Amino acid sequence: MTENIVEAKELSYSYPDGHRALEKVSFSVAAGESVALAGENGAGKSTLLQHLTGCLLPSSGALRVAGLSVEKRNLPAVRRAVGMLFQNPDDQLFMPTVFEDVAFGLLNAGVPESGLEPRVMRALETVGAAHLRSRPPYRLSQGEKRAAAIAGVLALEPEVLVMDEPTSGLDPLSRRRLIGLLGTFPHAKIIATHDLDFASEVCSRAIVIHKGRVTGDGPASDIFRDAALLGRSNLEVPLSVASRRG
Ligand SMILES: Nc1ncnc2c1ncn2[C@@H]1O[C@H](COP(=O)(O)OP(=O)(O)O)[C@@H](O)[C@H]1O
Ligand SMILES: [Mg+2]
């Protein structure tokens, strides 16, 4: 039996100021699953994602990622397993060119300089951004930045791709491209979003989080049709689902 990529058991977290942001969150994600983490602003999505990379450590409860307990001594291995895409690509891109940005992570991971070119270009081609290789990231459009940031994460071949609000700031065409792109990834994906139309196209499962608690977990097709559940969590049935109901 293969172990789940992510396993959270009664995970709770309080910020240093005492604010309780997660309350006994339990869920697991299997290899290759694509899971939406749906919740209104302030629900606790980003707090939960930061636990997956060990940027925050649980106040209580347990979290395992790629078979490792998320604790200080395991953080290098945990971070190799998790590809994290920040909400704002500007927080992720900082090298003079797109190529160097993607290469930076690989160099950090110990890939020798001689092996960089093919891996960087493969990642850029995957996201349709090979033509951007010599461009400075700060001059790119929001959609291009997002693609470059995804390439940087993909190049590292993580076991699970974690994205925080990936559609924020994207125009409809870039959003559509991102949906197509994510559909081709074999990785497990955990995508925090309140864009439920996006989530319903990309994810087969949805976990609803409200005030730091999991209020729903199941097939996306069921969860996104459950107006009562979504309403209780201050979310709405996505338009694409509502119009399909006839
Ligand atoms: N550094 C912090 N200190 C105290 N409270 C915080 C901090 N960061 C976030 N919070 C609070 O924790 C809750 C969850 O925040 P967050 O995880 O960012 O929500 P989401 O990503 O779903 O919008 C919110 O009530 C937010 O105000
Ligand atoms: Mg957030």
Side-chain angles (χ1 to χ4, degrees):
M1 203 185 86
T2 50
E3 192 169 0
N4 288 318
I5 294 278
V6 175
E7 244 174 54
K9 280 207 186 104
E10 306 216 326
L11 171 65
S12 297
Y13 180 75
S14 300
Y15 278 103
D17 68 357
H19 183 85
R20 190 93 167 151
L22 296 175
E23 185 65 42
K24 296 198 170 167
V25 168
S26 296
F27 67 97
S28 53
V29 174
E33 256 193 309
S34 63
V35 180
L37 186 61
E40 64 173 326
N41 281 328
K45 304 181 296 297
S46 297
T47 304
L48 182 53
L49 295 191
Q50 287 179 68
H51 279 79
L52 299 179
T53 52
C55 292
L56 295 175
L57 296 173
S59 304
S60 66
L63 178 64
R64 292 176 72 78
V65 171
L68 298 158
S69 165
V70 179
E71 54 189 278
K72 219 163 178 186
R73 67 191 167 101
N74 289 333
L75 291 188
V78 165
R79 286 175 187 160
R80 272 197 296 280
V82 180
M84 173 78 179
L85 208 77
F86 297 124
Q87 179 163 0
N88 183 352
D90 291 323
D91 294 337
Q92 204 135 14
L93 304 166
F94 50 88
M95 295 297 280
T97 67
V98 167
F99 184 94
E100 287 166 283
D101 225 300
V102 176
F104 178 85
L106 289 168
L107 280 171
N108 244 358
V111 174
E113 204 134 348
S114 57
L116 286 179
E117 171 92 21
R119 283 188 65 173
V120 171
M121 291 317 294
R122 196 173 345 125
L124 286 174
E125 276 155 20
T126 305
V127 301
H131 62 292
L132 302 176
R133 63 173 288 168
S134 305
R135 300 272 304 277
Y138 66 91
R139 292 257 174 80
L140 303 179
S141 74
Q142 222 26 48
E144 290 169 335
K145 281 181 187 175
R146 183 78 62 191
I150 293 176
V153 169
L154 283 190
L156 301 171
E157 298 172 1
E159 292 178 55
V160 52
L161 190 62
V162 175
M163 309 177 99
D164 200 353
E165 305 276 4
T167 58
S168 63
L170 291 191
D171 59 34
L173 182 61
S174 310
R175 186 174 168 282
R176 180 53 49 201
R177 279 210 193 103
L178 182 61
I179 290 170
L181 182 61
L182 291 177
T184 66
F185 289 169
H187 311 67
K189 297 182 271 288
I190 302 177
I191 305 180
T193 187
H194 49 67
D195 180 349
L196 299 193
D197 281 296
F198 174 78
S200 69
E201 290 204 58
V202 174
C203 300
S204 54
R205 176 174 153 211
I207 296 174
V208 182
I209 176 167
H210 180 56
K211 294 190 172 162
R213 291 173 189 272
V214 171
T215 52
D217 183 350
S221 51
D222 295 344
I223 297 276
F224 292 148
R225 218 180 287 148
D226 190 338
L229 165 68
L230 296 177
R232 281 197 301 278
S233 307
N234 293 342
L235 294 166
E236 288 181 346
V237 172
L239 286 175
S240 54
V241 173
S243 62
R244 249 183 268 140
R245 282 197 295 190

